Amino acid sequence: MKFLLVEDEEFNLIVLEEMIKISYPDAKIVLTNNGQEAYEMLQTNSFDLILSDINMPIMDGYALIKKIKNELLLTTPTVAVTAFAIQGDKEKLLMSGFDYYISKPIDMAELHKVLKVSLLD
Ligand SMILES: [Mg+2]
């Protein structure tokens, strides 16, 4: 199992990695700090699941998902991980191409439910 994590805040990145390791201790987890780094990683590597923050410098989550879908033409399941709390943002995220959505602070049970479902895609 190979995961790509995209998150500009180092603390959040490590927390997410540790949370994933609980359910998938043998997973290969690649950490990137923004959409641009993730985009470059995706040009030469394939993953089973991509989890991405939305608000990031250089390239945000919306720009990244656009490239994943329209340019790289990947069908890899994608999960938006974001602090946006307003209900309308969830629809916006799903409309933009993300398959799933997890809100921050991340609830462990919710994360593992989403991981399980998205990896069956
Ligand atoms: Mg951020």
Side-chain angles (χ1 to χ4, degrees), residues 4 14 37 40 50 72 74 77 100 108 112:
L4 176 64
I14 301 305
E37 283 185 16
E40 285 165 16
I50 301 165
L72 298 171
L74 299 178
Y100 300 93
M108 183 83 93
H112 288 141

Side-chain angles (χ1 to χ4, degrees), residues 22-98:
I22 291 169
S23 285
Y24 303 91
D26 300 324
K28 179 166 176 17
I29 304 176
V30 174
L31 310 180
T32 57
N33 294 304
N34 58 63
Q36 181 62 34
E37 283 185 16
Y39 173 61
E40 285 165 16
M41 186 62 66
L42 286 165
Q43 287 175 334
T44 48
N45 297 275
S46 63
F47 295 87
D48 297 297
L49 186 62
I50 301 165
L51 294 102
S52 180
D53 183 23
I54 296 301
N55 287 325
M56 294 178 287
I58 305 168
M59 187 193 292
D60 70 8
Y62 286 121
L64 175 62
I65 193 70
K66 213 176 208 176
K67 285 192 178 284
I68 287 172
K69 299 289 174 185
N70 302 339
E71 201 180 302
L72 298 171
L73 306 175
L74 299 178
T75 54
T76 312
T78 53
V79 181
V81 184
T82 175
F84 296 163
I86 307 161
Q87 182 61 30
D89 286 329
K90 184 174 178 176
E91 278 70 54
K92 192 179 167 194
L93 288 167
L94 299 176
M95 291 270 291
S96 70
F98 284 98

Side-chain angles (χ1 to χ4, degrees), residues 15-23 106-108 111-112:
V15 167
L16 188 56
E17 180 186 27
E18 291 305 315
M19 281 178 152
I20 291 171
K21 276 186 184 168
I22 291 169
S23 285
I106 297 168
D107 175 79
M108 183 83 93
L111 172 68
H112 288 141

